[in-house]
Amino acid sequence: MGFERVNRISEEYKREISDLISNEIRDPRIAQFTSVTHVDVTKDLRYAKVYISVLGDKKAREDTLTGLKSAAGFARREMGKRKNLRYNPEIIL
């Protein structure tokens, strides 16, 4: 019963984080071909582990991961504005 809600929230976060990466985050380190493959939200809605895929060489992957980690606070704040949840999950890459 409760897992259905967690799965719905995971899919919503996946869609919204993909939108944030492609439209809102303006970090030059993030590669153009970056996609969110999966999001795991914990049962207590405290953490969201985001899995990404980057098309490019190893340096592009490392730079993209560094850029996304530095933008995690911005993404969490924007997700809090977009989604009305009691707890706004901390984004872990």
Side-chain angles (χ1 to χ4, degrees):
M1 179 172 106
F3 294 115
E4 294 174 10
R5 180 170 188 249
V6 171
N7 290 338
R8 274 195 327 260
I9 291 172
S10 294
E11 288 300 316
E12 284 290 318
Y13 263 71
K14 178 182 170 184
R15 187 171 47 85
E16 292 292 333
I17 290 174
S18 295
D19 181 54
L20 279 175
I21 290 172
S22 63
N23 296 328
E24 299 291 326
I25 298 176
R26 300 285 179 228
D27 194 336
R29 295 176 289 188
I30 298 174
Q32 185 176 5
F33 297 110
T34 302
S35 61
V36 178
T37 58
H38 188 70
V39 175
D40 281 333
V41 177
T42 58
K43 289 184 246 181
D44 62 354
L45 302 178
R46 296 289 183 166
Y47 300 98
K49 181 151 180 137
V50 179
Y51 297 91
I52 61 165
S53 174
V54 179
L55 186 64
D57 60 348
K58 186 175 181 178
K59 178 154 176 38
R61 282 186 230 130
E62 291 172 355
D63 289 344
T64 299
L65 192 59
T66 303
L68 288 174
K69 282 184 180 180
S70 70
F74 169 77
R76 183 177 183 186
R77 185 182 70 221
E78 287 298 313
M79 292 301 294
K81 290 178 185 176
R82 293 180 182 196
K83 300 294 172 199
N84 188 15
L85 295 173
R86 177 175 291 173
Y87 300 113
N88 190 15
E90 181 181 341
I91 297 174
I92 300 170
L93 295 170

